[in-house]
């Protein structure tokens, strides 16, 4: 009974919209939720209110394919000339799809088709085609508000930077330091092992376009590092060996089976 209000900590700047899958699912099942942003004397807050007298109704749920997992195949497909890959029923929630928009703005040939709404979530198919040359349509820097909505995709985005005209700079990503590994240092170390020209910053890195060579790299016990460098191995000259590759199974048990299928 009654109403419960959840508030994010007050900040001096407008709050970046966070992932809202839970709110969408609860609304779909009949909960009465309201949310919004407001300014208080202490700063800006994000407020979500839940009324306790709602009656939830059991309904069929459709779980979209994960955009973070799709990102590895988007980068692989975009960077392999002559390739074409279609990823079905990918979740395109506006709080999660930033990696698609950023890759497109950096020259990746990605088309969104069959877009629809299912269980309050936007889904669609992603068709990616490989290009001989990746030419950005914007500055070669990713920073600011967009970082929060593609933080998990940055390791493979850094790999993409090695194939991009002008390279890529990633900033405002300090959160990467406290993931399953310190993803700034692990990405930089592995890229350097593969011959990439990389500069490390406290909040990110600058990756210059580089000819990658096969090398022994390490997952550092981090599933996204293992998968990102499997993708890097597709572009490298020679064989790439990933120590701790089995960590990919944390989020994608069939990853190496799938990546092998597109590498032929």
């Amino acid at each position: 009974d009654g109403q419960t209000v959840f508030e994010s900590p007050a900040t001096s700047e407008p709050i970046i919209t966070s992932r809202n899958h839970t709110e969408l699912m609860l609304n779909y099942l009949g909960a009465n939720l309201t949310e919004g942003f407001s300014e208080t004397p202490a700063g800006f807050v994000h407020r979500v209110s839940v009324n306790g007298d709602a009656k939830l109704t059991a309904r069929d749920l459709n779980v979209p394919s994960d955009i973070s997992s799709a990102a590895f195949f988007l980068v692989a497909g975009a960077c392999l000339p002559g390739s074409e890959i279609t990823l079905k029923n990918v979740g395109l929630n506006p709080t999660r799809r930033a990696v698609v928009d950023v890759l497109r703005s950096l020259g990746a040939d990605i088309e969104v088709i069959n877009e629809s709404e299912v269980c309050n979530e936007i889904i669609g198919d992603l068709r990616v085609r490989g290009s001989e040359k990746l030419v950005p349509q914007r500055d070669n820097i990713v920073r600011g508000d967009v970082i929060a909505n593609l933080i998990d995709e940055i390791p493979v985005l850094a790999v993409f930077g090695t194939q991009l005209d002008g390279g890529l700079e990633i900033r405002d990503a300090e959160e990467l330091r406290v993931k399953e590994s310190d993803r700034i240092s692990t990405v930089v170390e592995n890229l350097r092992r593969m011959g990439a020209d990389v500069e490390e910053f406290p909040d990110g890195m600058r990756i210059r376009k580089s000819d990658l060579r096969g090398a022994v790299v390490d997952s550092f016990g981090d599933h996204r590092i293992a998968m990102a460098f499997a993708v890097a191995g597709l572009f490298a000259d020679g064989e790439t060996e990933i120590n701790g590759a089995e960590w990919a199974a944390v989020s994608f048990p069939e990853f190496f089976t799938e990546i092998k299928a597109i590498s032929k």
Side-chain angles (χ1 to χ4, degrees), residues 24 124 181:
L24 292 176
S181 67

Side-chain angles (χ1 to χ4, degrees), residues 34 68 75 161 180 185 215-216 228 237:
T34 57
S68 295
V75 169
E180 287 86 336
S185 65
V216 178
D237 182 18

